[in-house]
Amino acid sequence: ETEDGIEIGGKGFSVVVSKINGELASYKINGVEQIISPLKPNFTRPAIDNDVRGANSRYVAASKQVWRKLLNSLKTNPLKVEKENESAVKVIVSQTATGIGLQTVYTVYNDGKISVKMDLDADKSLPDLIRFGVTMGVSGSFVNTTYYGNGPWETYSDRKMGAEVDEFNFKTNDLFYNYAKPQENGNRTDTRWLKLSSGSGKNSQSLLFTGNPTFGFSIWPYSVENLSIAKHPYDLVAQGFYTLNIDAAQAPVGGTLEQWLPQYLLKPGKY
């Protein structure tokens, strides 16, 4: 334990959880850092066209007032460390804001695997959620992506009937869809597992993510901030690593003239 974080280590790996904000600040395998920017909760998205000028724009605007600013308003309580058994240690992060309770549990196993479980309790008086998940930065060397889930094209909760569940292989950059106006893009729903790898040789490195039971993901060579403020594709500047978003749920796409269908809404409550 240091002044700023809880450190857990084992044969060939080390993990650091920040005491300041509860983020997963470091994950090293054989001395190589796997996290370029910390893993942290994610409640928003770069606005899509329908978020701004669609039939639901006023609801999205109200949601952003709460959920976009939430990370900066969360109060982090002292972290708790529990030994689950001889092969696992838990770090429990409890955070609160007005009408919101958030708990993140990192379970670190002695083989270097990490389980991340996040529970949200949002007062029902709050606006609907836009997203509930995590985001992090991973190495730009992970140029290959393989996943088992909906594909091959992007899908969202209300835009996936035309997809099929299968194993898909992509160059990671090809999972980013370059809309004329930069925005949220490239999401894949109902993913069972996701593998990012740097190549196919014996020196290839990889990260494997699995869901319980499934998750949505997107991966971009640009930052969320860049995508949120860019007006044109030429405003995008590659950051040198990938932004990886992993979600339990995300708001629907909707349409320019149609309201979001009620079955796809992320109402405040427990997640």
Side-chain angles (χ1 to χ4, degrees), residues 93-161:
V93 181
S94 296
Q95 298 172 295
T96 57
T98 303
I100 294 171
L102 180 70
Q103 183 179 83
T104 306
V105 179
Y106 303 99
T107 304
V108 182
Y109 297 91
N110 61 4
D111 60 359
K113 294 177 182 176
I114 304 176
S115 167
V116 181
K117 184 177 186 293
M118 192 163 67
D119 292 288
L120 174 72
D121 189 356
D123 190 270
K124 293 185 178 180
S125 65
L126 294 172
D128 293 354
L129 282 76
I130 299 172
R131 187 180 221 138
F132 179 57
V134 297
T135 186
M136 62 190 293
V138 297
S139 173
S141 67
F142 291 133
V143 295
N144 299 314
T145 297
T146 303
Y147 74 94
Y148 188 76
N150 278 332
W153 39 75
E154 66 177 16
T155 54
Y156 290 82
S157 60
D158 61 340
R159 292 290 191 281
K160 63 181 183 180
M161 290 186 66

Side-chain angles (χ1 to χ4, degrees), residues 8-11 13-15 27 84-90 106-116:
I8 300 170
K11 185 178 180 180
F13 76 93
S14 65
V15 174
Y27 177 39
E84 188 172 60
N85 49 49
E86 292 301 316
S87 62
V89 174
K90 284 185 176 181
Y106 303 99
T107 304
V108 182
Y109 297 91
N110 61 4
D111 60 359
K113 294 177 182 176
I114 304 176
S115 167
V116 181

Side-chain angles (χ1 to χ4, degrees), residues 247-267:
D247 304 318
Q250 186 180 163
V253 174
T256 304
L257 299 177
E258 66 179 24
Q259 298 284 345
W260 286 343
L261 296 176
Q263 64 264 38
Y264 300 119
L265 298 179
L266 304 184
K267 306 302 293 184

